[in-house]
Amino acid sequence: MQRQQQVKKRIKQGRRGRGLSTAVLIGLFTTLSMAAKAVTVNVTDERGEPVSGAVVWFEGSHLSKDTQISQQLYKMGQRDRAFTPHILVVPKGAQVSFPNYDSILHHVYSFSAAQPFEFKLYRDSPQSLTFANTGVVELGCNIHDWMLGYILVVDSTHFAITDNKGIAQVNLAKSLSQSTTVNIWHEGFANLDQPETIKVAKLGINQTLTYQLNQSLFKAKEDFSDEFDDYE
């Protein structure tokens, strides 16, 4: 536990010590023709390089909720002493289960304001929880200090995560003629609770939008993984 607290302290100090980029760039959007019924979003960093693992979601009172997305059972598993997926995006009110695919015990917790919880030592019986509040839920394991994962709860059913080429495809049933808020979040942001946002007057299916982040990304390089543990 002492080592875990030291790790968390170093991570928090790193985030406090790095300010937001002073660049006053606004994400530049360009519209291109695409074949699929989705809005394709290309996310780049301040150097123009593709950003993987960025969460993109659309918000607006005119956006209808997809009940299939809302009622889906989401999973945040533990496999090979790691959270899988590393980042899970769910709509507000979704239920998430925490299956343990390892042959060892895990003790999953979060101190995040959006959803504090704790699942004590478990292996064979999956735990589950309903996430009723929007925000970032940062996950850890009290046994394996290096394990880190995120559940991002959004007030939307229109979301996606960028791939290794910085591309996310967000499905839309129809084009939108009203102003829509486009949100972008990344685990490397200095303030995890503050996504970058921009208003788009119109959104048409089969469009491509290119967004350049306004800040540098923090990259945690510390790895405290152990080959063995005492909870087989």
Side-chain angles (χ1 to χ4, degrees):
M1 177 65 72
Q2 183 178 2
R3 186 179 68 176
Q4 178 188 24
Q5 292 173 346
Q6 292 173 346
V7 172
K8 296 297 181 182
K9 183 178 180 180
R10 283 196 291 270
I11 292 176
K12 290 180 180 178
Q13 287 175 339
R15 286 179 182 150
R16 285 197 298 265
R18 185 178 62 82
L20 293 175
S21 169
T22 57
V24 292
L25 295 174
I26 298 177
L28 174 64
F29 283 91
T30 58
T31 303
L32 301 173
S33 175
M34 293 292 291
K37 288 188 175 181
V39 176
T40 299
V41 183
N42 292 329
V43 180
T44 66
D45 61 19
E46 55 188 1
R47 298 172 301 174
E49 298 295 328
V51 175
S52 63
V55 180
V56 179
W57 72 99
F58 300 157
E59 289 182 338
S61 58
H62 56 290
L63 271 172
S64 58
K65 298 293 177 64
D66 187 329
T67 55
Q68 289 186 337
I69 300 296
S70 298
Q71 296 174 4
Q72 180 177 335
L73 178 59
Y74 295 87
K75 295 182 179 181
M76 172 58 82
Q78 300 97 60
R79 189 189 300 276
D80 298 329
R81 296 177 175 87
F83 287 108
T84 177
H86 178 61
I87 299 173
L88 176 66
V89 191
V90 303
K92 178 182 177 180
Q95 185 179 43
V96 179
S97 65
F98 293 78
N100 182 0
Y101 300 111
D102 288 332
S103 60
I104 59 176
L105 295 169
H106 287 294
H107 185 152
V108 178
Y109 72 94
S110 177
F111 297 131
S112 303
Q115 186 68 68
F117 72 95
E118 181 180 22
F119 293 145
K120 294 187 177 180
L121 302 173
Y122 73 99
R123 177 168 54 199
D124 300 324
S125 300
Q127 308 291 310
S128 62
L129 187 65
T130 298
F131 287 78
N133 304 308
T134 59
V136 181
V137 181
E138 189 171 5
L139 307 174
C141 176
N142 265 332
I143 303 173
H144 310 101
D145 296 340
W146 65 88
M147 288 178 60
L148 182 65
Y150 300 93
I151 297 177
L152 184 58
V153 187
V154 298
D155 191 15
S156 174
T157 56
H158 303 85
F159 51 78
I161 302 178
T162 59
D163 59 18
N164 57 6
K165 295 181 180 179
I167 297 174
Q169 290 193 324
V170 183
N171 292 328
L172 281 181
K174 61 181 180 179
S175 298
L176 304 175
S177 58
Q178 301 180 38
S179 178
T180 303
T181 300
V182 179
N183 303 273
I184 299 91
W185 177 92
H186 194 276
E187 64 174 307
F189 283 178
N191 185 350
L192 289 178
D193 296 318
Q194 187 61 55
E196 293 192 9
T197 63
I198 193 169
K199 297 282 189 179
V200 180
K202 295 181 181 181
L203 270 181
I205 56 176
N206 309 330
Q207 281 187 330
T208 291
L209 312 176
T210 298
Y211 181 83
Q212 187 176 40
L213 296 177
N214 293 325
Q215 58 185 294
S216 301
L217 297 178
F218 171 78
K219 295 181 180 180
K221 296 182 179 180
E222 295 174 305
D223 184 359
F224 298 95
S225 57
D226 296 325
E227 184 178 357
F228 304 102
D229 60 59
D230 299 327
Y231 292 86
E232 298 289 345

